[in-house]
């Protein structure tokens, strides 16, 4: 939680700087890094992201497999070397918190192995092995029996390992991962084998929680929750596994402990729960209803149950009273203002060191008076979106960009196109239930862009509950719900249209070097397209002037603006905060005032 700032100083130091040293706990050490966050010293083999990883569908019986695993790096086609090291899962191999911090590269692969216990409370139940995310091609063996392969660096995936485990007791799991990063054809975001400028250190292997879940033979596999604000009801679709036609579903919606609606019926039907005068989810009032879902067997007994939640939220575009197309939330126009959020960490790279750290970036966004963020060419663990839901921030969710190697623009290989579409669909499926996500962004600028109209139209049909931004900045194809431009330093706006809302997908990028909080000291390869302020006073004056210009642009029809960016990242120093999150470069109260005026007036 950001501390209350009593000083009017424009430069706020929240925590003392941590030296670039290794942390040692229980035989594990984080590798040396030029920068660490204050949360790094809370990380240990016994405390490596221990929280339940999927708050949207929670069960009682599960086991976290994060912690120390045996580890090795071999050539891509080689598996012969003995395990000679240990890694702290789920931190990426290249990160300091992994305890490895080595470059892997496309010519190598990484290997993980550990023992774990099975204690399934369900008679004849199933054992599910879940991965939050692993980048990129992951193969799994249990007790030396091959389980399966997954290709995708940003989506969760599951293997049923019931047939591979040996009853109860000790089991062995072995995982190998290969990741060509930007030398491959898969979605890769801002990772590169050659970090510089706006391109960051590659991430290889497991980077989100690995966990075991115990379920009965017949169980609830997934939920799809769709709020219907106009009809004061919520739609729930339940996907089951190993169910006969006689199985039923019982769903209860609760406001704290008070039952506010319920529905029962056979599992193949859609369920609708009506709500009397429902509380609507907004950034100012992020109210969430609890949801309890039971699977009832042929004799009416409870076979399986999961807990979930939902927010009553509607997002659309419409013509406002001022005659401009606007973004509407719950049938009211709302200006979106927020930062470009990269989601990178100096100690964990793709992986926040702790859940509190993950939560902190959203808390900081709210404290600075923003009501949205644009999650930039990266996805996050599901707990990030849980905190966005709970704390109240609108999310524009980018799809990590695909193959950007030189070639004919708009004509990727069949393999590239197929993999992008698969991972894009998986992203939408994974995060569909989160009320905070209000816009899908399949493409950023021209990065890997192809078949834009086809992909946008598919998205609008597949998920009609959200807006679609066909391409954020520079390569608009005339489709989708918004026309988006980038302007550095800006601000600026695209021409208004009759059928789409005008938004500013990126602007600002005002840089300020903060001594003792830098990832690199040599800025010879740093970005050269951002303006650098020489002092915190100049930085704040420039930001205030930009806000004054945004007020006028809003009057002219601008509906949203995204400031670059939440934090410094590696060689970029244009964050609202330093990369280690120790320094906020602005006066918090003043930014809150500036943003409130833009949103409310």
């Amino acid at each position: 939680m950001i501390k209350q700032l009593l000083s009017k100083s424009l430069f706020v130091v929240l925590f003392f700087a941590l030296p670039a040293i290794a942390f040692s706990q229980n035989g594990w050490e984080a590798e040396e890094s030029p920068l660490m966050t204050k949360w790094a010293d809370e990380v240990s083999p016994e405390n490596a992201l221990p929280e339940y990883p999927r708050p949207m569908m929670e069960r009682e019986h599960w086991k976290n497999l994060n912690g120390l695993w045996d580890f090795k790096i071999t050539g891509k086609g080689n598996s012969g070397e003995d395990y000679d090291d240990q890694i702290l899962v789920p931190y990426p191999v290249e990160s300091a918190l992994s305890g490895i911090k080595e470059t892997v590269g496309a010519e190598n692969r990484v290997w993980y192995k550990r023992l774990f216990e099975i204690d399934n409370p369900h008679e004849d139940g199933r054992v599910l092995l879940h991965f939050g995310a692993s980048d990129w091609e992951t193969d799994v063996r249990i007790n030396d029996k091959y389980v399966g392969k997954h290709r995708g660096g940003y989506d969760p995936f599951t293997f049923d390992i019931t047939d591979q485990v040996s009853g109860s007791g000790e089991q062995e799991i072995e995982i190998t991962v290969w990741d060509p990063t930007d030398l491959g054809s898969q979605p890769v975001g801002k990772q590169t084998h050659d970090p510089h400028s706006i391109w960051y250190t590659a991430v290889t292997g497991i980077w989100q929680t690995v966990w075991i879940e115990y379920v009965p033979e017949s169980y609830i596999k997934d939920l799809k929750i769709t709020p219907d604000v106009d009809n004061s009801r919520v739609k729930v679709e339940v996907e089951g596994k190993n169910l006969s036609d006689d199985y039923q579903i019982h769903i209860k919606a609760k406001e704290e402990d008070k039952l506010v609606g319920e529905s029962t019926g056979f599992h193949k039907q859609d369920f609708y729960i009506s709500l009397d005068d429902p509380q609507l989810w907004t950034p100012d009032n992020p109210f969430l209803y609890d949801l309890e879902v039971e699977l009832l067997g042929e004799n009416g007994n409870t076979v399986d149950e999961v807990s979930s939640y939902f927010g009553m939220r509607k997002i659309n575009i419409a013509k406002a009273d001022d005659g401009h197309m606007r973004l509407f939330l719950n049938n009211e126009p709302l200006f979106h203002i927020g930062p470009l959020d990269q989601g990178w960490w100096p100690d964990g790279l793709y992986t926040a060191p702790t859940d509190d750290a993950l939560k902190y970036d959203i808390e900081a966004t709210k404290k600075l008076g923003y009501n949205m963020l644009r999650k930039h060419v990266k996805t996050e663990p599901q707990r990030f979106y849980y905190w966005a839901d709970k704390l109240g921030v609108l999310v524009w969710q980018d799809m990590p960009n695909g193959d950007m190697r030189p070639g004919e623009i708009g004509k990727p290989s069949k393999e590239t196109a197929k993999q992008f579409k698969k991972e894009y669909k998986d992203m939408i499926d994974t995060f569909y239930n989160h009320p905070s996500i209000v816009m899908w962004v399949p493409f950023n600028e021209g990065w890997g862009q192809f078949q834009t109209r086809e992909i946008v139209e598919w998205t609008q049909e597949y998920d009609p509950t959200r807006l679609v931004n066909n391409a954020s900045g520079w390569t608009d194809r005339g489709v989708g719900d918004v026309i988006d431009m980038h302007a550095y330093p800006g601000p600026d706006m695209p021409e208004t249209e009759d059928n789409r809302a005008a938004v500013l997908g990126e602007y600002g990028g005002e840089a300020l070097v903060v001594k003792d909080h830098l990832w690199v000291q040599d800025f010879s390869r740093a970005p050269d397209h951002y303006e650098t302020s020489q002092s915190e006073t100049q930085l704040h004056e420039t930001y205030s002037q930009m806000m004054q210009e945004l007020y006028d642009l809003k009057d002219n029809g601008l509906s949203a603006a995204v400031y670059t960016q939440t934090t410094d990242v590696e060689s970029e120093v244009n964050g609202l905060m330093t990369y280690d999150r120790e320094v906020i470069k602005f006066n918090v109260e003043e930014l809150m005032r500036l943003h409130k005026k833009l949103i409310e007036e």
Side-chain angles (χ1 to χ4, degrees):
M1 181 69 69
I2 301 176
K3 296 181 179 179
Q4 294 294 323
L5 303 178
L6 302 179
S7 170
K8 294 296 181 180
S9 169
L10 299 178
F11 191 76
V12 184
V13 178
L14 295 183
F15 306 99
F16 292 110
L18 292 172
I21 60 174
F23 295 90
S24 178
Q25 296 186 32
N26 302 327
W28 162 82
E29 285 188 343
E31 287 295 309
E32 291 189 1
S33 174
L35 212 57
M36 303 289 276
T37 69
K38 76 184 186 74
W39 297 278
D41 59 0
E42 300 175 20
V43 176
S44 71
E46 294 74 34
N47 190 38
L49 296 173
E51 295 81 10
Y52 191 86
R54 191 187 59 197
M56 188 57 76
M57 201 177 90
E58 190 168 351
R59 274 193 179 88
E60 179 182 0
H61 302 296
W62 71 289
K63 180 190 295 288
N64 196 317
L65 297 186
N66 292 345
L68 284 179
W69 292 53
D70 294 333
F71 180 78
K72 64 182 177 181
I73 301 176
T74 72
K76 180 183 175 184
N78 186 9
S79 62
E81 289 87 347
D82 293 332
Y83 283 87
D84 56 2
D85 213 336
Q86 287 190 311
I87 188 171
L88 187 59
V89 170
Y91 302 101
V93 176
E94 294 87 351
S95 72
L97 289 178
S98 73
I100 302 295
K101 199 172 180 272
E102 292 185 17
T103 299
V104 179
E107 70 279 6
N108 294 319
R109 64 170 57 246
V110 296
W111 298 77
Y112 305 77
K113 185 168 71 172
R114 65 161 289 175
L115 300 175
F116 66 99
E117 296 281 336
I118 286 291
D119 185 19
N120 195 341
H122 302 286
E123 184 177 357
D124 299 324
R126 313 299 297 179
V127 181
L128 306 180
L129 172 65
H130 297 288
F131 292 79
S134 177
D135 196 9
W136 172 70
E137 181 182 85
T138 305
D139 288 271
V140 178
R141 301 182 73 89
I142 299 291
N143 296 326
D144 207 29
K145 302 172 185 175
Y146 186 70
V147 174
K149 180 192 300 288
H150 177 78
R151 287 185 168 183
Y154 299 92
D155 54 324
F157 56 99
T158 299
F159 294 114
D160 185 331
I161 60 171
T162 310
D163 295 337
Q164 286 81 28
V165 298
S166 303
S168 298
E170 193 172 77
Q171 320 286 328
E172 181 183 82
I173 180 172
E174 185 175 45
I175 299 166
T176 184
V177 185
W178 173 68
D179 181 19
T181 310
D182 56 340
L183 300 178
S185 59
Q186 80 285 1
V188 72
K190 281 198 169 185
Q191 301 178 68
T192 179
H193 68 287
D194 179 28
H196 66 282
S197 186
I198 63 170
W199 311 105
Y200 313 142
T201 303
V203 166
T204 301
I206 298 167
W207 67 276
Q208 291 187 30
T209 294
V210 184
W211 51 296
I212 293 289
E213 186 177 33
Y214 302 119
V215 298
E217 176 68 20
S218 301
Y219 63 95
I220 298 167
K221 184 178 179 181
D222 202 4
L223 303 176
K224 185 176 182 180
I225 305 169
T226 306
D228 182 356
V229 168
D230 292 339
N231 293 300
S232 298
R233 65 181 186 176
V234 61
K235 177 183 177 182
V236 182
E237 300 166 73
V238 182
E239 180 182 355
K241 187 74 172 178
N242 303 324
L243 307 186
S244 72
D245 291 343
D246 293 330
Y247 278 75
Q248 295 192 70
I249 299 294
H250 182 208
I251 304 174
K252 293 185 286 188
K254 290 186 173 183
E255 184 176 334
E256 295 181 345
D257 292 330
K258 178 185 176 183
L259 181 67
V260 294
E262 61 183 327
S263 181
T264 302
F266 291 103
H267 68 90
K268 291 184 178 180
Q269 71 183 63
D270 297 336
F271 297 86
Y272 293 89
I273 299 176
S274 296
L275 302 167
D276 292 333
D277 192 22
Q279 292 202 50
L280 302 184
W281 186 97
T282 70
D284 291 333
N285 179 44
F287 183 84
L288 299 173
Y289 288 91
D290 293 324
L291 200 67
E292 297 177 2
V293 183
E294 290 180 288
L295 174 64
L296 307 179
E298 297 173 357
N299 59 1
N301 62 308
T302 299
V303 175
D304 188 23
E305 55 187 326
V306 297
S307 61
S308 186
Y309 66 88
F310 65 94
M312 292 296 291
R313 179 275 290 130
K314 174 186 176 182
I315 184 78
N316 67 299
I317 57 170
K319 186 164 288 188
D321 291 342
D322 63 4
H324 294 297
M325 292 297 291
R326 299 286 186 186
L327 307 179
F328 276 60
L329 181 68
N330 301 329
N331 298 318
E332 297 289 338
L334 178 68
F335 193 92
H336 294 195
I337 177 72
L340 191 73
D341 195 296
Q342 309 274 7
W344 287 75
W345 300 82
D347 36 26
L349 298 180
Y350 255 17
T351 309
T354 69
D355 192 57
D356 283 343
L358 192 70
K359 177 184 178 183
Y360 176 85
D361 279 4
I362 300 174
E363 290 177 320
T365 299
K366 293 281 291 185
K367 280 287 187 179
L368 289 166
Y370 295 109
N371 63 2
M372 64 82 73
L373 62 87
R374 178 183 165 205
K375 179 52 66 175
H376 190 41
V377 293
K378 182 195 181 217
T379 65
E380 293 289 354
Q382 293 184 55
R383 291 193 65 86
F384 177 89
Y385 304 97
Y386 163 74
W387 287 121
D389 296 340
K390 193 171 180 64
L391 297 176
V393 65
L394 303 166
V395 177
W396 295 11
Q397 179 61 55
D398 286 13
M399 173 62 191
N401 53 277
D403 186 2
M404 291 173 56
R405 291 175 296 180
E408 188 173 356
I409 295 175
K411 292 187 177 181
S413 68
K414 289 183 178 180
E415 180 183 358
T416 295
K418 180 179 179 181
Q419 187 65 32
F420 180 92
K421 290 177 179 179
K422 174 191 177 298
E423 293 195 41
Y424 181 52
K425 178 180 179 297
D426 288 344
M427 180 186 77
I428 294 174
D429 289 341
T430 298
F431 302 128
Y432 178 88
N433 292 340
H434 291 279
S436 57
I437 299 178
V438 295
M439 186 183 296
W440 301 120
V441 187
F443 298 111
N444 176 69
E445 297 173 353
W447 299 4
Q449 189 178 5
F450 71 102
Q451 298 177 8
T452 307
R453 178 177 294 275
E454 173 189 321
I455 288 172
V456 166
E457 290 177 351
W458 174 87
T459 306
Q460 291 174 318
E461 181 178 354
Y462 192 66
D463 181 10
T465 70
R466 290 182 174 87
L467 305 179
V468 184
N469 183 339
N470 81 114
S472 185
W474 304 356
T475 53
D476 179 71
R477 305 300 186 192
V479 293
D481 297 297
V482 301
I483 177 172
D484 183 323
M485 76 175 297
H486 294 174
Y488 286 106
D492 202 347
M493 66 177 289
E495 293 291 330
T496 57
E497 297 182 353
D498 291 334
N499 298 315
R500 297 190 297 171
V503 303
L504 178 58
E506 292 180 28
Y507 80 101
E510 290 295 310
L512 179 67
V513 174
V514 182
K515 186 179 178 181
D516 299 326
H517 298 274
L518 300 174
W519 175 264
V520 297
Q521 306 302 318
D522 177 11
F523 281 87
S524 62
R525 303 187 74 197
D528 58 4
H529 54 279
Y530 299 129
E531 290 191 347
T532 300
S533 296
Q534 300 304 312
S535 69
E536 60 267 24
T537 299
Q538 180 185 340
L539 176 71
H540 202 277
E541 288 176 352
T542 301
Y543 191 93
S544 297
Q545 178 59 40
M546 288 180 172
M547 289 301 300
Q548 296 300 320
E549 295 175 27
L550 278 180
Y551 300 149
D552 293 336
L553 293 173
K554 178 183 176 182
D555 290 341
N556 292 330
L558 185 67
S559 292
V562 181
Y563 180 81
T564 302
Q565 57 188 340
T566 304
T567 72
D568 296 347
V569 185
E570 298 198 354
S571 63
E572 292 186 295
V573 290
N574 56 343
L576 298 159
M577 298 183 286
T578 54
Y579 196 18
D580 56 10
R581 280 72 168 172
E582 292 190 21
V583 176
I584 291 182
K585 302 179 185 180
F586 293 86
N587 180 290
V588 173
E589 294 178 354
E590 178 65 9
L591 256 64
M592 173 70 81
R593 183 188 69 81
L594 291 171
H595 298 150
K596 184 176 181 181
K597 179 180 178 181
L598 182 65
I599 294 168
E600 296 183 356
E601 295 183 7

